[in-house]
């Protein structure tokens, strides 16, 4: 694969890892509303798509028209950069709060209904972009 594909695949690997980290955070949130489960499920689904996309990018050949078009997902200000920004915002909101004895850490839920709706909409958009890119690979 060409150098651009390697860089793009590396970027996807870091995005998969960041998504995984947030999934782990969401798994550990105590006393969170059902919204947490919905975000958790959507991020898990999106992470799977990212892994599939990364694997296809790694297997693609230099000059592959699909690779050229899918790289558009990773341009500055593109869908994957916006998603990374969303994940970083999520990560900052999922702050760890130490217990009195510092024996165990619990995560607190700090999202309003509107924030949850917005996060879910952005995750869904990102999933759509990636799904379309993967479908175009078959065409």
């Amino acid at each position: 694969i060409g150098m651009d594909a390697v860089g793009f695949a590396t970027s996807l690997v870091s995005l998969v890892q960041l998504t995984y980290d947030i999934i782990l955070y969401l798994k550990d949130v105590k006393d969170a509303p059902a919204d947490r489960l919905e975000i958790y499920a959507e991020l898990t689904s999106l992470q799977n798509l990212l892994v599939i996309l990364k694997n296809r990018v790694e297997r693609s050949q230099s000059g592959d028209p699909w690779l050229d078009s899918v790289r558009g997902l990773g341009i500055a200000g593109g869908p994957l950069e916006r998603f990374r920004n969303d994940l970083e915002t999520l990560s900052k909101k999922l702050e760890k709060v130490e217990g009195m004895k510092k024996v165990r850490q619990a995560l607190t839920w700090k999202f309003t209904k509107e924030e949850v709706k917005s996060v879910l909409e952005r995750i869904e958009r990102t999933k759509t972009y990636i799904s379309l890119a993967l479908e175009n690979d078959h065409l």
Side-chain angles (χ1 to χ4, degrees), residues 47-57 59 66 134:
Q47 182 189 28
N48 292 333
L49 285 173
L50 286 168
V51 169
I52 292 167
L53 180 63
K54 177 194 75 71
N55 291 338
R56 289 212 185 141
V57 166
R59 288 192 319 261
W66 173 79
L134 292 171

Side-chain angles (χ1 to χ4, degrees), residues 7-125:
F8 186 59
T10 301
S11 174
L12 288 171
V13 168
S14 72
L15 196 54
V16 167
Q17 184 59 52
L18 182 56
T19 304
Y20 178 73
D21 291 345
I22 298 213
I23 287 169
L24 288 180
Y25 283 147
L26 290 171
K27 218 171 114 175
D28 291 338
V29 174
K30 306 297 181 215
D31 302 321
D35 295 339
R36 173 192 61 88
L37 291 176
E38 196 171 355
I39 292 173
Y40 175 85
E42 290 299 321
L43 280 177
T44 302
S45 171
L46 179 53
Q47 182 189 28
N48 292 333
L49 285 173
L50 286 168
V51 169
I52 292 167
L53 180 63
K54 177 194 75 71
N55 291 338
R56 289 212 185 141
V57 166
E58 289 174 342
R59 288 192 319 261
S60 65
Q61 300 296 316
S62 183
D64 182 339
W66 173 79
L67 181 59
D68 291 338
S69 67
V70 81
R71 241 186 254 126
L73 292 172
I75 63 170
L80 295 181
E81 182 178 292
R82 289 192 307 265
F83 178 60
R84 179 181 303 279
N85 293 338
D86 291 340
L87 288 180
E88 289 169 356
T89 300
L90 271 174
S91 182
K92 288 175 188 167
K93 281 208 126 183
L94 293 168
E95 297 175 0
K96 293 187 177 188
V97 179
E98 294 187 35
M100 297 257 302
K101 295 183 180 181
K102 296 184 180 185
V103 173
R104 193 179 119 134
Q105 292 183 332
L107 297 171
T108 57
W109 191 248
K110 298 184 178 203
F111 295 94
T112 65
K113 289 284 185 192
E114 295 78 25
E115 288 173 318
V116 168
K117 181 181 177 196
S118 179
V119 165
L120 289 171
E121 286 171 355
R122 289 190 308 265
I123 291 170
E124 190 58 41
R125 265 195 310 274

